[in-house]
Amino acid sequence: MGDVLALVEARLRTTLGEPDARAAVTFLGTDRVEVLRFLDGDIVRYATLGMSAAPMGDPTQALADPVKGPRAELVLSVRAGLADTDKVLRPLAVLAASPQVEGLIVAPGASLEVGEPLWPGAPFSSVLVAEGGGLVEDLELDEPMDPVRFLPLLPMTANEAAWKRVKGAQALQERWLERGTDLRDPLRAGVLLD
């Protein structure tokens, strides 16, 4: 477990630079999850560290496979200085712990809900999990372990989340693209939906 997390942190540092802050959260009955903060000009990136320590397993199986299964970490990118986004640390840790706590398999296209604003004044309480491999490349691990995927999180308003449930993740992402939505704006309004 420690070896995997050391490799994950090394990949994050190689890609995003040195973190300027980190916080750790431990939930009862789960392993510790850290959230690292990286500054990149006017963008601040938050990356989880700990979710990939164990593979995500099918909650219907009696015993979880300790080696095989999907592994991931979460990455959120927002514009710096517009909102108190550092308060997103705990919600991100909650999302990263959800595979252990709820038996979820977090994959692209999924919606994750935290039940409260991601940070004070945020119009978002949920995120869309996007495809990995863009910002941070997948981290290959020794066989038979699956690679660690670094999955971007795209904050969604309540209306966007409801629309996504009906129309699908692809349709919502296309709508954002059509409207030129700045998904890194921590105070953005919801996209116009019809």
Side-chain angles (χ1 to χ4, degrees):
M1 170 177 119
D3 291 346
V4 169
L5 294 185
L7 292 171
V8 168
E9 185 168 354
R11 173 60 55 92
L12 288 169
R13 287 173 182 266
T14 300
T15 306
L16 302 176
E18 287 300 310
D20 76 324
R22 65 192 307 148
V25 180
T26 305
F27 302 100
L28 188 63
T30 68
D31 295 324
R32 181 171 119 146
V33 174
E34 289 188 86
V35 179
L36 284 59
R37 183 180 72 186
F38 301 88
L39 293 176
D40 181 12
D42 70 335
I43 301 294
V44 60
R45 301 185 198 285
Y46 301 94
T48 63
L49 179 63
M51 183 176 167
S52 62
M56 294 179 272
D58 184 343
T60 62
Q61 293 190 342
L63 289 174
D65 189 319
V67 178
K68 291 185 63 93
R71 294 175 190 257
E73 296 291 352
L74 308 174
V75 181
L76 174 69
S77 301
V78 292
R79 295 206 181 283
L82 301 177
D84 188 8
T85 57
D86 282 349
K87 298 284 196 258
V88 78
L89 299 177
R90 185 168 176 73
L92 271 182
V94 167
L95 296 177
S98 62
Q100 289 182 60
V101 175
E102 300 174 36
L104 292 177
I105 295 179
V106 177
S111 299
L112 301 175
E113 173 69 44
V114 294
E116 61 186 35
L118 293 175
W119 50 82
F124 322 105
S125 62
S126 63
V127 293
L128 174 64
V129 181
E131 283 292 335
L135 179 63
V136 183
E137 286 184 35
D138 293 352
L139 173 65
E140 296 295 329
L141 300 174
D142 293 337
E143 291 289 337
M145 292 188 283
D146 290 16
V148 176
R149 303 186 70 201
F150 297 88
L151 302 173
L153 300 180
L154 308 175
M156 295 187 291
T157 65
N159 284 344
E160 290 169 341
W163 200 77
K164 181 255 172 198
R165 282 191 292 278
V166 174
K167 302 278 188 173
Q170 180 76 27
L172 178 58
Q173 288 179 301
E174 287 172 4
R175 179 57 54 97
W176 281 333
L177 193 58
E178 288 168 8
R179 306 280 191 210
T181 306
D182 181 1
L183 297 173
R184 294 177 178 170
D185 181 350
L187 300 174
R188 75 171 178 84
V191 71
L192 187 60
L193 304 167
D194 39 272

